[in-house]
Amino acid sequence: MKKMSMMLFTTFFCSSLLLSACTKDTAAPAAPSTAKESATASNVAPVGQFPIVKDKITLKVAIKGSSLVEDMKTNGYTKWLEEKTNVHVDWTILDEKSSKEQLNLLLAGGSLPDVIMNLDVSPEQQMIYGEQGVFVSLTDLIEKYGENTKKIFSEMPEAKSAVTAPGNKIYTLPYINDCFHCSLDFKMYVYKPWLDKLGLKEPTTLDEFYNMLKAFKEKDPNGNGKADEIALIGGAGSTATKSQVDVFLMNSFIYDDGFKRMTVNNGKVDVAYNKPEWKEGLKYLNKLYKDGLLDRQSFTIDKAGLKTIAENPDIAIGGAIPAHSPSDITIVEGKSGRWLDYQPIAPLKGPNGVQKATWLAYDKVSNGKGQFIITNANKNQEATMRWADAMYTFEAALYSNFGVEGSSWEKAKPGDLGRDGAPASYRLLIPYGRVQNENWAQYGLNYRTDKDYYAGQAVLKLPDKEKMYYDITKKNYDPYKPKLEEIVPPIFFSPAESQQLADLDKTINDFVVSNIALFTTGDQDIDKGWDNYIATLEKMNLKKYIEIYQKALDAKNVKK
């Protein structure tokens, strides 16, 4: 069955790689080394002038849908950006949960959009499609039309490094979110009123965490006389990636980055999920599950489902929930007030003294994933570059993430101070995280710096969301983050290596994730099944997988 699954995936992936090496009977066009000026370039205004085109153009843009945006076509930011740039957008909205599969089908179908935006195109795919000329190299376009982009590259060299492929090719523009609390966002939120009612302190060890959950389950902390408390529940799927139940707890045994679960030890790439410590972490998860403290829905429920549990009407039923922030599981400044009741606890000390926090050190540059790609179907590449570059302004960031000026935000008033006591630059009028039609809910391109964007928001009343997020992260998570050299940086691979990784990466990581669920729930016995699990990883060519990463990391380090 496993072999058949791998064959099916390989077949599907080959069909999705348009003009790639999987298609042997089709001649691939040579990738242009530079972007030549198109016939439509004369319609583009000089850099710094708006609108960016004299005669309105339409761009076909494929983007992942957002449950927080009512309609991208009539959205307030969409209208503002069109008025400013004279660029109209014809949207192709991909399903939020199956966007990767839909993107592959879109690419395989031959009818390409002009722009692929916010679809997390991997560095491997960027290399494959870039080398075939399907994705346009932006290097020359940035040099000529990327006023803001070049400024960002100068101020944040790691952003340029993250998106620069071999041969000085840039196939995607970076999405910048230099958010301190977001970089340490695999947190565990605990419902504090239950701790207070039961006379419990915040747990600091795995044993104390177990005892807290047992009390939540058995001592009726919500006081309704029913056994309806859910002690611990996590989330699954693309909308709940920061709510995976294993990440926070596994970091008490071995470092878990929540994604590929890779680390760098003394310059050597390695993985966590084939180590004895990983096995011990799975045993702890299984113990929580067997004792009824970990809800089975943890491997099926999405972010919306978690929010339904945390915001259960009238009475609280959720005890501990891993999440990025309160906005993931509660309604910030909502009537229930639970966004303040759920508070993140610090990483727990494990049996061998391990106590780590997942640090997404490169997440501020989207870890090299493609967030804005121009395809070879685009006849207005110069105008598209200027349109993208316009999204990097501070004003655009406020429209993109909050909404219309005067409705969702306004300029700071004299005396307004940010979270650090410095003069603020803007006021937020409506809390983020609700379904609306004024902003793109953090989609598009962004240049959000911690200093200007996050610390620049005026603190109008306490508790203040941004100040609270910053303070609790600084106190409970920052002391436990790993060293930067222990984290795998954004890496590009050769086309041949990209082809190999495209299969290996998904096959191996899907297998790991599925076995976390199987071992945790006891559907597969840990002691009896561990050797077979390790043997299967070896058959999946884990050794080659690590070697490819090692070779690319070594090459990246040589270039420094």
Side-chain angles (χ1 to χ4, degrees):
M1 184 68 184
K2 290 170 183 172
K3 185 176 180 181
M4 178 62 72
S5 297
M6 289 173 66
M7 290 174 63
L8 287 172
F9 171 73
T10 304
T11 301
F12 173 76
F13 189 81
C14 286
S15 70
S16 71
L17 291 181
L18 182 65
L19 302 176
S20 76
C22 288
T23 308
K24 296 180 181 179
D25 59 349
T26 303
S33 59
T34 59
K36 296 181 180 179
E37 194 170 88
S38 70
T40 61
S42 59
N43 189 37
V44 181
V47 171
Q49 293 185 20
F50 290 90
I52 64 175
V53 288
K54 305 161 193 173
D55 300 319
K56 181 171 287 192
I57 63 170
T58 295
L59 295 178
K60 293 181 179 181
V61 179
I63 190 172
K64 179 167 60 177
S66 171
S67 58
L68 297 179
V69 178
E70 292 175 358
D71 188 347
M72 289 292 288
K73 297 176 183 177
T74 61
N75 188 272
Y77 178 48
T78 301
K79 291 181 177 179
W80 178 83
L81 192 59
E82 179 172 340
E83 183 178 338
K84 183 177 180 65
T85 64
N86 213 18
V87 175
H88 177 73
V89 177
D90 179 7
W91 297 103
T92 298
I93 311 295
L94 305 189
D95 183 73
E96 190 172 9
K97 296 181 180 179
S98 60
S99 59
K100 288 187 178 180
E101 292 80 3
Q102 288 184 318
L103 175 61
N104 282 339
L105 293 173
L106 192 66
L107 290 168
S111 181
L112 293 171
D114 296 314
V115 173
I116 296 170
M117 189 158 67
N118 302 130
L119 286 168
D120 295 334
V121 179
S122 69
E124 295 83 33
Q125 284 183 306
Q126 290 175 48
M127 282 296 293
I128 292 170
Y129 287 109
E131 287 292 316
Q132 302 300 335
V134 178
F135 294 166
V136 174
S137 174
L138 309 177
T139 309
D140 292 344
L141 288 171
I142 291 170
E143 183 60 33
K144 190 167 184 179
Y145 298 98
E147 179 183 28
N148 296 315
T149 307
K150 288 188 291 185
K151 181 181 178 184
I152 291 170
F153 286 171
S154 175
E155 295 174 350
M156 194 178 288
E158 62 268 36
K160 183 177 183 180
S161 175
V163 297
T164 302
N168 197 35
K169 302 289 184 65
I170 296 177
Y171 298 114
T172 180
L173 295 175
Y175 181 106
I176 312 293
N177 182 22
D178 186 15
C179 165
F180 174 70
H181 78 83
C182 304
S183 70
L184 292 152
D185 63 355
F186 279 89
K187 299 179 173 72
M188 179 65 73
Y189 285 83
V190 171
Y191 192 62
K192 195 170 183 304
W194 285 5
L195 286 177
D196 296 340
K197 183 174 182 179
L198 298 174
L200 299 172
K201 294 181 180 179
E202 287 187 12
T204 60
T205 67
L206 288 174
D207 288 342
E208 290 176 3
F209 186 73
Y210 175 90
N211 292 332
M212 178 197 75
L213 295 180
K214 195 169 180 63
F216 284 175
K217 187 73 175 176
E218 298 175 352
K219 295 187 176 181
D220 191 28
N222 66 13
N224 67 350
K226 301 177 182 179
D228 57 353
E229 288 86 356
I230 298 173
L232 169 64
I233 186 169
S238 61
T239 66
T241 54
K242 306 301 173 63
S243 291
Q244 303 164 65
V245 74
D246 69 286
V247 184
F248 178 86
L249 295 173
M250 195 62 78
N251 273 313
S252 298
F253 297 90
I254 189 170
Y255 185 67
D256 184 349
D257 70 4
F259 294 100
K260 296 185 179 181
R261 295 169 171 86
M262 276 186 167
T263 57
V264 180
N265 299 315
N266 296 318
K268 300 299 181 183
V269 176
D270 204 352
V271 295
Y273 45 76
N274 62 351
K275 303 294 184 292
E277 295 90 344
W278 187 267
K279 181 180 179 182
E280 292 308 306
L282 291 173
K283 285 186 173 182
Y284 181 80
L285 289 169
N286 176 245
K287 178 183 177 182
L288 295 182
Y289 184 83
K290 283 195 303 185
D291 293 350
L293 306 182
L294 172 61
D295 195 277
R296 188 180 183 90
Q297 294 181 88
S298 299
F299 301 103
T300 57
I301 198 168
D302 61 10
K303 185 166 69 173
L306 290 178
K307 185 170 286 191
T308 299
I309 289 172
E311 285 285 359
N312 186 65
D314 302 324
I315 195 164
I317 61 171
I321 307 175
H324 152 67
S325 72
S327 62
D328 268 1
I329 57 175
T330 63
I331 300 173
V332 175
E333 297 187 19
K335 292 181 180 180
S336 72
R338 296 207 186 125
W339 73 288
L340 295 173
D341 292 331
Y342 281 97
Q343 289 293 318
I345 61 173
L348 304 167
K349 184 175 289 188
N352 296 316
V354 177
Q355 192 174 15
K356 294 282 189 178
T358 296
W359 184 30
L360 307 178
Y362 298 99
D363 204 41
K364 65 181 179 181
V365 291
S366 296
N367 213 29
K369 292 180 180 178
Q371 300 296 337
F372 192 98
I373 289 170
I374 298 177
T375 76
N376 62 4
N378 193 315
K379 306 303 181 185
N380 295 280
Q381 294 177 13
E382 296 86 359
T384 303
M385 182 64 226
R386 281 216 55 203
W387 181 67
D389 194 69
M391 296 185 204
Y392 281 138
T393 65
F394 187 70
E395 184 181 25
L398 295 178
Y399 270 89
S400 172
N401 298 291
F402 298 134
V404 178
E405 182 179 7
S407 174
S408 296
W409 64 274
E410 65 183 10
K411 293 181 176 64
K413 297 181 179 180
D416 283 349
L417 301 177
R419 69 172 192 220
D420 302 328
S425 54
Y426 69 96
R427 289 176 159 218
L428 183 60
L429 303 178
I430 299 176
Y432 174 82
R434 305 180 184 191
V435 180
Q436 46 67 52
N437 206 37
E438 286 203 7
N439 64 63
W440 285 0
Q442 299 186 357
Y443 279 4
L445 284 178
N446 265 246
Y447 182 48
R448 309 202 303 267
T449 64
D450 190 70
K451 177 183 177 182
D452 297 323
Y453 182 86
Y454 290 100
Q457 184 180 124
V459 175
L460 302 179
K461 61 180 180 179
L462 294 175
D464 175 80
K465 178 171 71 78
E466 285 304 325
K467 181 172 174 55
M468 181 181 75
Y469 290 179
Y470 179 87
D471 289 347
I472 198 70
T473 302
K474 192 73 176 174
K475 174 178 177 286
N476 278 359
Y477 290 85
D478 193 52
Y480 303 103
K481 68 184 182 184
K483 296 177 181 178
L484 183 63
E485 55 266 29
E486 296 175 23
I487 299 172
V488 179
I491 303 176
F492 279 90
F493 305 87
S494 71
E497 290 167 340
S498 295
Q499 285 285 11
Q500 290 180 291
L501 278 179
D503 192 2
L504 291 172
D505 194 72
K506 179 171 176 58
T507 303
I508 290 172
N509 285 294
D510 282 359
F511 177 73
V512 170
V513 170
S514 67
N515 275 271
I516 290 172
L518 291 171
F519 284 132
T520 297
T521 60
D523 290 346
Q524 186 165 297
D525 184 271
I526 298 174
D527 288 319
K528 293 179 180 179
W530 182 256
D531 288 345
N532 183 62
Y533 164 76
I534 296 297
T536 304
L537 283 171
E538 291 173 356
K539 290 177 183 176
M540 289 178 171
N541 219 346
L542 177 62
K543 182 180 179 181
K544 181 65 177 178
Y545 179 62
I546 294 173
E547 285 176 354
I548 293 172
Y549 268 90
Q550 186 67 55
K551 180 181 177 182
L553 179 63
D554 290 343
K556 184 181 181 73
N557 289 336
V558 167
K559 292 177 181 179
K560 286 184 178 179

